Every structure is written in C-alpha cells, then in structure tokens.
Amino acid sequence: MKNLERVAPLLLIAISVVVAGLFAYVATSRTLTNLESVLLQSFSLLAGLGGSFIFGRHSARVAAREIIKPHARSAFRRLFSLYQSLSRVAKTIASSQHPESSVEYQVTLARVEAIVIEQLATADDALEDWRDIVPEDVKELDPRYFPDNTTNEG
C-alpha cells in the first residue's frame, strides 16, 4: 500500500508528461481536430493534477509528522509519567483497603479509587491518540515494553 502511495503520483505525473509530449508531437506532424486537441489536453491536465494532488497530500503528511515529532515525544513522556503515577496511586489504594477499616474510610477509598480509574482510562485514551499521530515513537515508549510498568489491571 505504501509503495502504491509513492508510485501512483509519480506515475500520473509521468503519464501527464508523456501525453503532453505526444500531443506536441502529433500537433507538429498533422493538424489536430478540436476534439482531439481538447481530449489530449484534458487527459494531460487531469493526470497532472491528480498526481500533483496525491504527491502534495503525501508531502504535507510527512512534513506535519516531522513538525509534530519533537513535541509529541516529550508530550508522550509526560503523559506516560502521569500514567505511571496514577498507577502507583491505584496500587496504594488497593493495598490500603483492609476489611477491619471503618466504613467511612472504605467509602472514601472507593471514591478515590473510582477517580483514579477514570483518570487512568483517560490516560489510556490519550496514549492511543498519540499512537495515531506518531506510532513509531509510541511503540518505542509504549508502557507494554517497560518492564517496571505498574498498571491497575482490575
């Protein structure tokens, strides 16, 4: 698929140039009818515009990634640090829940735990958002690849 994205615009632009050259050659060797002239020029124009559009879209995507990449890496690290911190809070809450504790204490811990779980879910969503933007960097820093990862899995 990626090869097609690279080859298609070049192929369309090449076709456009070949058709324009063919048009020039045929026009110098004989007189073209109005219909032939319009069709050859239209085909050349459409192929050139299509190739330019696809090539421009790909170039803009690459340029945007290069602009975002330095910022994304540091922002992802901060988000991952927040995720780890929330995970440690969740573990602390889980280890602080004792059956002999007062009901009020248990209710307070349950509320705090719910808030932390909600924040962890938001952090998970944000990590997935970053995966859409800079997948290579996220894969490199992905929590699943950190051996000391402390998540609250239930």
Side-chain angles (χ1 to χ4, degrees), residues 22-91:
L22 178 68
F23 172 74
Y25 173 75
V26 172
T28 57
S29 63
R30 69 177 177 87
T31 304
L32 294 173
T33 65
N34 287 341
L35 179 61
E36 290 173 328
S37 182
V38 167
L39 286 176
L40 284 171
Q41 288 178 0
S42 297
F43 185 72
S44 178
L45 176 68
L46 290 175
L49 286 175
S52 297
F53 175 77
I54 295 169
F55 187 74
R57 185 176 58 185
H58 176 71
S59 297
R61 210 178 279 146
V62 168
R65 275 209 179 127
E66 291 305 313
I67 290 170
I68 289 176
K69 209 169 197 171
H71 304 291
R73 198 170 182 83
S74 62
F76 181 77
R77 282 190 181 126
R78 284 191 300 273
L79 177 62
F80 182 70
S81 176
L82 173 65
Y83 185 88
Q84 285 183 318
S85 177
L86 285 169
S87 295
R88 285 190 297 271
V89 170
K91 277 185 119 178

Side-chain angles (χ1 to χ4, degrees), residues 131-145:
R131 188 182 315 280
D132 293 340
I133 297 170
V134 282
E136 309 86 30
D137 293 330
V138 172
K139 185 175 183 180
E140 182 181 318
L141 300 171
D142 193 307
R144 286 173 261 183
Y145 298 109

